[in-house]
């Protein structure tokens, strides 16, 4: 039979062991606290990439490159100013008469931008107002009239005087949405060729009903990551207008590149905002899988 002898440990050694255990627990707690603090800081950084200490320097950093604040066209070089859209046009409304024309349009500007106006050297815009205040008209690089606008929402209006109504009128290519009245008559089918619209005798026309047919085609390319190409074919009738197509991409995909024959942009909600005009058009949206 074996007997087990009890061994008495000195009190000093017991106190030392308890002290070591306490220090280990305190160290572990501090480590967990540090991890929790780092995770919280990472979450805050993900929500706002600019640290609070540098937020007041935002304007100073962007003073030389104001276009950095503009939406970026995905799929292009982000440091290229041409890949940024700093001004988004609304509907351009033109009312042409025998002695001239009036126009109005709304613009949303993200950074100081040159906004083109309808008209040309022979029909230069006059009496131009921005949010009700007079604004001088500037000349663009190619000689087209325009305005320099600061960030914000702007309502632009003006006149185009002439002695005799021209057969054609220059309009900016960026203004995809047009409404035309000639001698007070709404023109349902606007004859537009490139950057010009035809002005003729106002004739009463029956407006076509507003219809929109959308066909969706998708191609999934397996890879790392998987790439999804979505092709939208739109058959449009009626007046030019702006519509929102809800969630053109399935869940789990992020847009990479957007292209097509219509002005369009992907909103923060994932919806697709499109400026429609009559005809058949195609929009291509390339996306990548997030997982």
């Amino acid at each position: 039979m074996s007997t087990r002898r009890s061994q008495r440990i000195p009190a000093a050694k017991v106190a030392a062991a308890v002290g070591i255990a306490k220090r280990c627990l305190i160290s572990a707690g501090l480590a967990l606290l540090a991890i929790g603090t780092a995770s919280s800081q990472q979450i805050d950084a993900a929500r706002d990439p600019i640290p609070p200490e540098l937020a007041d320097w935002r304007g100073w950093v962007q003073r030389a490159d104001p276009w950095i604040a503009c939406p970026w066209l995905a799929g292009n070089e982000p440091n290229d100013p041409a890949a940024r859209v700093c001004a988004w046009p609304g509907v351009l409304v033109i009312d042409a008469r025998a002695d001239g024309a009036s126009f109005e349009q709304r613009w949303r500007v993200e950074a100081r931008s040159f906004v083109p106006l309808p008209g040309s050297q022979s029909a230069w815009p006059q009496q131009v107002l921005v949010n009700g205040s007079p604004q001088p008209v500037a000349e663009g690089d190619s000689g087209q009239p325009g305005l320099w606008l600061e960030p914000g929402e702007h309502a632009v209006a003006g006149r185009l005087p002439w002695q005799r109504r021209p057969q054609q009128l220059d309009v900016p290519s960026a203004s995809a949405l047009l409404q035309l009245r000639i001698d007070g008559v709404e023109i349902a089918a606007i004859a537009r060729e490139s950057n010009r619209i035809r002005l003729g005798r106002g004739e009463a026309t029956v407006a076509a009903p507003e219809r929109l047919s959308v066909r969706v085609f998708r191609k999934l390319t397996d890879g790392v990551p998987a790439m999804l190409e979505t092709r939208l074919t739109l058959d449009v009738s009626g007046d030019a207008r702006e519509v929102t197509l809800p969630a053109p991409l399935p869940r789990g995909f992020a847009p990479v590149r957007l292209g097509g024959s219509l002005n369009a942009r992907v909103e923060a909600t994932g919806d697709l905002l499109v400026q429609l005009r009559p005809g058949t058009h195609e929009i291509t949206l390339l996306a990548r899988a997030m997982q």
Side-chain angles (χ1 to χ4, degrees), residues 117-286:
L117 296 176
S120 59
Q121 294 289 338
S122 58
W124 195 258
Q126 305 288 334
Q127 305 174 16
V128 176
L129 302 177
V130 177
N131 297 328
S133 300
Q135 182 84 1
V137 179
E139 184 175 347
D141 295 336
S142 58
Q144 80 278 18
L147 302 171
W148 284 101
L149 298 182
E150 301 296 332
E153 298 280 346
H154 302 283
V156 178
R159 283 190 51 81
L160 297 167
W162 52 58
Q163 297 294 329
R164 181 180 180 183
R165 186 168 63 202
Q167 294 295 320
Q168 294 180 325
L169 176 65
D170 291 355
V171 294
S173 58
S175 297
L177 301 182
L178 290 176
Q179 288 184 6
L180 177 62
R181 291 190 297 269
I182 299 179
D183 296 331
V185 178
E186 189 83 20
I187 304 302
I190 302 176
R192 181 170 183 172
E193 298 177 358
S194 185
N195 296 340
R196 291 182 176 181
I197 59 175
R198 292 182 182 178
L199 301 178
R201 178 179 301 174
E203 297 179 356
T205 58
V206 178
E210 290 190 353
R211 294 178 181 174
L212 172 61
S213 172
V214 181
R215 289 175 292 169
V216 182
F217 305 90
R218 301 191 193 274
K219 181 178 72 173
L220 178 65
T221 302
D222 193 11
V224 182
M227 303 299 293
L228 179 66
E229 180 180 346
T230 300
R231 186 168 297 176
L232 306 174
T233 301
L234 294 84
D235 293 321
V236 185
S237 65
D239 295 335
R241 57 197 184 274
E242 192 172 74
V243 300
T244 299
L245 302 179
L249 292 177
R251 291 184 179 180
F253 285 87
V256 174
R257 186 171 63 247
L258 177 65
S261 56
L262 296 173
N263 285 353
R265 70 169 183 246
V266 178
E267 300 284 59
T269 59
D271 297 338
L272 184 64
L273 182 66
V274 185
Q275 293 185 343
L276 300 177
R277 62 176 183 269
T280 300
H281 308 278
E282 190 173 273
I283 296 177
T284 302
L285 180 57
L286 184 65

